[in-house]
Structures are given as C-alpha cells and as structure tokens.
C-alpha cells in the first residue's frame, strides 16, 4: 500500500532568511489558520509552485500541458503535524508531486 504525500517521512529542509516583521507576519497567518508555520508555508507555497510550473508548461509546450492537465491530480493535503515534523527533522514531504505534474 502506497503512503500518501502527507504521511511520508520528511527529510528535506529549507532555511529562510527574512526580517523579524516578515516572520511575525507568517506566524500570525499560520496562527489565524490554525496551522503550524511549516504547515502554513507548505499549504500556501506548494499550490503556487504548481501554478507557476503549469503556466510555464503551457507557454513552452501547450500540447504536453494538455496531456499533463488530464493526468494531474490535485495535490494531497499537507499534514499539519508539527510534532512529527520536529521528530523527523524535516519540512517538505514532496518526493513525487512534481513528477505527477510533469508526466
């Protein structure tokens, strides 16, 4: 049985440098939506990344983009399990999401 993206072990990390004000803004948005900062960033950034990739594909190869659109499923929801993220020392569970978009 295949694991969903949300339940796969998370091993990749991204470190971001930002101003204290930017960090406060992101933390406030996460709090308002009831998510951890990691969950908030993943749930907002991944759909944006997918949209950018699709737009690029449509511009470069409209025929392939049509094929990709018919094969692509919506991304699975990101589990907002901060304790599990901390235990696994990770922030990004995306192993094959991009492959699902491109092929």
């Amino acid at each position: 049985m295949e694991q969903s993206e949300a339940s796969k072990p998370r091993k990749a990390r991204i470190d971001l440098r930002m101003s204290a004000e930017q960090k406060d803004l992101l933390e406030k948005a996460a709090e308002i939506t009831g998510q951890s900062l990691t969950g908030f960033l993943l749930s907002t950034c991944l759909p944006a990344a997918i949209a950018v990739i699709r737009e690029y594909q449509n511009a470069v190869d409209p025929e392939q983009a049509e094929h990709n659109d018919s094969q692509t499923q919506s991304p699975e929801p990101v589990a907002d399990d901060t304790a599990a993220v901390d235990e696994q020392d990770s922030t990004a569970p995306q192993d094959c999401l991009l492959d699902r978009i491109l092929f």
Side-chain angles (χ1 to χ4, degrees):
M1 184 174 191
E2 192 172 318
Q3 290 180 321
S4 72
E5 291 297 319
S7 67
K8 288 183 180 178
R10 299 173 177 192
K11 297 184 188 264
R13 294 187 66 84
I14 295 177
D15 292 317
L16 300 171
R17 292 190 183 272
M18 65 187 74
S19 70
E21 292 83 14
Q22 290 170 321
K23 184 178 182 222
D24 289 344
L25 182 70
L26 292 172
E27 288 174 337
K28 182 66 174 176
E31 180 183 331
I32 289 169
T33 60
Q35 300 177 75
S36 68
L37 183 56
T38 295
F40 176 76
L41 291 172
L42 288 173
S43 69
T44 55
C45 292
L46 290 175
I50 290 167
V52 166
I53 292 167
R54 284 185 177 157
E55 185 176 322
Y56 173 79
Q57 289 174 326
N58 288 337
V60 171
D61 187 354
E63 189 174 305
Q64 180 64 36
E66 284 181 31
H67 172 74
N68 291 341
D69 286 343
S70 69
Q71 300 296 315
T72 302
Q73 301 171 354
S74 296
E76 296 183 31
V78 176
D80 189 19
D81 187 355
T82 305
V85 170
D86 292 340
E87 286 175 15
Q88 296 170 4
D89 192 42
S90 69
T91 60
Q94 304 305 309
D95 293 331
C96 64
L97 181 59
L98 191 55
D99 289 340
R100 288 199 327 241
I101 294 167
L102 297 176
F103 302 105

